[in-house]
Amino acid sequence: MSIVTLAEPRAAAAAPQGIRTTYRDAVREAVRSAMRSDPRVFLMGEDVGKYGGTYAVSRGLLEEFGPERIRDTPLSESAFVGLGIGAALGGLRPIVEIMTVNFSLLALDQIMNTAATLLHMSGGQFNVPLVIRMATGAGRQLAAQHSHSLEGWYAHIPGIRILAPATLEDARGMLPSALADPDPVLIFEHALLYNLEGELDAGAGAVPIDRAAIRREGHDVTLVTYGGTLGITMTAAGQLAEAGVSAEVIDLRVLRPLDTGAILDSVRKTHRAVVIDEGWRSGSLSAEVSARIMEGAFYDLDAPVARVCSAEVPMPYPRHLEQYALPRAEVIVETVQRMVNPHAA
Amino acid sequence: MSPTANGVALLRAMIRIRRFEERCAELYQEEKIRGFLHLYIGEEAIAVGVMQSLTPEDAIVATYREHGHALARGIDMNRVMAEMYGKATGTSGGRGGSMHLFDAKTRFFGGNAIVGGHLPLAAGLALADRMQGRGVVTACFFGDGAVAEGEFHETLNLAALWQLPVLFCCENNRYAMGTALERAQSETELALKAASYRIPAWPVDGMDVVAVEGAARRATGAIRAGEGPHFIEFRTYRFRAHSMFDPDLYRSKGEVETWRRRDPITLLTDRLRGEGAVDDAALEGIEREVAAEIDAAAAFAESSEWEPVETLARHVTSEAPS
Ligand SMILES: Cc1ncc(C[n+]2csc(CCOP(=O)(O)OP(=O)(O)O)c2C)c(N)n1
Ligand SMILES: [Mg+2]
């Protein structure tokens, strides 16, 4: 795995009693502590046990909890996601790990047609307390079948909650909150974030999963992003500051239901917005955010909402093409510059 | 219960489902029931027979052709009929309709209308039961069409691998909509597919309710004894079209007639008459009681309230306990 350094938004504000950790370890700690405190919780997925997890998130958990609660499954995405639904109905609190979002398409039927519909279809009788975690995103030269960012698609579906932890606090804290939710929750972990290092409060635990977070305050432009693109967005905000432009960065954190209020409040203050989304532009989450700004803060805008998304191509393999296809800090900076300074050459 | 009394109870249960669905077909013509309506007529022996082998703690997961299963499971006919209408008093508050009957009290998990999509759910319920040490069975009903889906194979493999307490009930009525089994499967002996996953599997005459009950008891007995999942292929036939939209062009009248001669209700009636267990008066009594129950159910559905549109957004996510 290539290492791409990402700015850790909270590093500067870390508490003195913080411990040095990684995003990967924070997720593992979240799983471990949930399993220790609740016997109903178990982890199931491809290679979560003996292999230790494709991204090593579950390494060591099989030894601690045994094969009944750390369940290796065959390559049957639809079946093991569906088993998770059934097990949740049967009183357990399954954490289903899908290796990556790319393979989640084989379980889309279960997620969309069963997990998201059962409560409604049964007139409120059967809620599904299921948590599904999966890796998402590009950036490791894995080419066209292993680089998708489809969390925006999932955010289209009523009946499920969509989370995108972008910080160590959220990597550690979103899982326990998701497990406490009576309904299905999908957690998208950008694969490039697993190596993210920083300080995490020793007592870190559950975090709210119903609102966005302001990762940097500013007054000239609002940069709305989430997950894997928070790092480049923070970098861009830093560069903009050097150029005298004050950018506010909103980390959506929760992709469904969207915290529209947080977005609109910020835009009403800055009067400009750029949405940064690793998904493709057409029919994307960035389109949804943009539409909501248009619906709710049109008259507060000094410029049309802009978007920085992935190029609309299946992801190419060569590094230079892949990097060019993905949202980049420099493109965010240029986009903002054009916005605040429309008449510059 | 004596064998004779049991036979009469089975007959009554099948007649009750048959007449209920015949009324549903009429109500469909009257536009009281809308959407998809899949009748189980001809296949009643399976739901009725299998239910005899289940306890109240067991779980049931069925398809969109599930009215018979719901009634045989003991869900109140009034609520089933109200759900067919879409009324707020229905089993699913009217949100589901004919294809989505649900009932927490009897552990009836639908009413699922994605072919094969509910098999993993059944295995998951069984996994939860096993992990929590509950010695119960999950009975999962599905058609011959589901056998072609990946979810069928994925689930049978996992259920066998993890020795989950599931009874797989394949209702082989020889057609998936208009596609005959031999036009969809390279191997039409469906039990062989389950056997290839090392699941005990065998075919049973799905028109003979006594044979169905016997097979289901044998299978659930083994499952309760910890012998893992079992698979029964019930050979049956649907006498009516696939749904109310189906012009039924893909099979001959003669074929339907041949199967109608093996009507599970007629077969059992003849047997019970032969044994002197029922006579015309007894049959008339059953019909009268069943008709009265159906009349009452239709009246209940008719007079029930519609859910107000103001509560449309309910049940998308769970409501905070008040
Ligand atoms: C995944 C999926 N594909 C297609 C359909 C449309 N469809 C509904 S019922 C059906 C036939 C299913 O046949 P079978 O499993 O034999 O059950 P039966 O209707 O005969 O009881 C089809 C193709 C569906 N509901 N789900
Ligand atoms: Mg069929």
Side-chain angles (χ1 to χ4, degrees), chain B residues 43 64-65 142-146 171-177 179 238 242:
Chain B
E43 309 185 33
Y64 47 87
R65 199 182 296 288
F142 53 91
D144 47 291
E171 304 181 311
N172 177 9
N173 61 12
R174 311 178 77 86
Y175 289 89
M177 290 181 62
T179 303
R238 73 172 148 69
H242 168 74

Side-chain angles (χ1 to χ4, degrees), chain B:
Chain B
M1 210 186 296
S2 74
T4 307
N6 187 41
V8 177
L10 295 175
L11 181 65
R12 190 180 189 288
M14 290 197 292
I15 291 174
R16 185 168 169 263
I17 296 168
R18 176 74 54 94
R19 301 290 173 253
F20 175 83
E21 287 203 317
E22 287 168 348
R23 180 71 63 89
C24 287
E26 290 169 23
L27 291 166
Y28 199 90
Q29 302 309 333
E30 293 170 28
E31 305 194 356
K32 297 292 185 186
I33 300 173
R34 300 278 76 195
F36 278 131
L37 177 68
H38 305 91
L39 301 178
Y40 195 50
I41 291 176
E43 309 185 33
E44 297 92 339
I46 303 168
V48 169
V50 171
M51 290 309 162
Q52 309 307 310
S53 73
L54 302 180
T55 70
E57 291 74 37
D58 293 333
I60 291 129
V61 189
T63 71
Y64 47 87
R65 199 182 296 288
E66 87 287 32
H67 320 138
H69 309 75
L71 292 175
R73 181 56 172 175
I75 304 176
D76 176 26
M77 188 187 283
N78 285 356
R79 293 177 55 229
V80 175
M81 186 62 96
E83 191 61 36
M84 313 288 275
Y85 274 61
K87 294 290 182 81
T89 51
T91 56
S92 310
R95 296 290 177 118
S98 150
M99 299 193 289
H100 302 303
L101 305 175
F102 284 86
D103 184 49
K105 214 169 71 216
T106 56
R107 299 201 76 209
F108 194 88
F109 294 90
N112 297 275
I114 302 297
V115 172
H118 60 304
L119 273 77
L121 192 157
L125 283 166
L127 176 66
D129 288 332
R130 239 238 0 243
M131 286 178 74
Q132 293 169 106
R134 294 190 288 255
V136 303
V137 171
T138 297
C140 180
F141 297 86
F142 53 91
D144 47 291
V147 173
E149 294 283 0
E151 284 167 328
F152 169 87
H153 295 274
E154 292 185 11
T155 304
L156 261 66
N157 179 53
L158 255 174
L161 193 68
W162 292 352
Q163 288 293 289
L164 302 177
V166 185
L167 175 58
F168 291 103
C169 302
C170 179
E171 304 181 311
N172 177 9
N173 61 12
R174 311 178 77 86
Y175 289 89
M177 290 181 62
T179 303
L181 184 63
E182 57 277 10
R183 293 179 55 233
Q185 289 293 330
S186 57
E187 173 56 77
T188 55
E189 280 297 324
L190 301 182
L192 289 179
K193 295 175 192 289
S196 79
Y197 295 106
R198 297 183 176 271
I199 295 177
W202 65 96
V204 169
D205 179 0
M207 298 312 219
D208 178 351
V209 66
V210 178
V212 169
E213 179 182 346
R217 283 193 189 279
R218 183 178 139 203
T220 52
I223 296 169
R224 287 184 216 287
E227 292 172 29
H230 281 58
F231 179 103
I232 308 175
E233 178 204 344
F234 296 106
R235 295 192 171 159
T236 186
Y237 200 79
R238 73 172 148 69
F239 296 166
R240 300 281 189 116
H242 168 74
S243 75
M244 304 308 274
F245 295 116
D246 170 15
D248 214 342
L249 302 173
Y250 43 82
R251 54 185 191 177
S252 69
K253 294 244 167 2
E255 181 183 300
V256 180
E257 270 321 301
T258 305
W259 275 93
R260 275 187 187 277
R261 273 179 239 132
R262 304 215 57 245
D263 185 323
I265 294 179
T266 315
L267 288 186
L268 184 61
T269 306
D270 290 350
R271 186 188 305 181
L272 291 173
R273 272 187 199 278
E275 291 168 2
V278 290
D279 54 15
D280 286 347
L283 288 171
E284 276 164 30
I286 292 174
E287 293 285 1
R288 227 182 2 257
E289 284 166 28
V290 164
E293 187 186 8
I294 295 168
D295 287 343
F300 174 81
E302 194 65 47
S303 64
S304 288
E305 297 294 327
W306 299 104
E307 187 178 346
V309 294
E310 287 71 27
T311 50
L312 171 67
R314 281 190 73 190
H315 309 314
V316 177
T317 52
S318 294
E319 289 161 14
S322 46

Side-chain angles (χ1 to χ4, degrees), chain A residues 325-337:
Chain A
L326 289 169
R328 279 166 294 141
E330 67 196 79
V331 180
I332 302 171
V333 171
E334 285 162 20
T335 305
V336 173
Q337 293 287 21

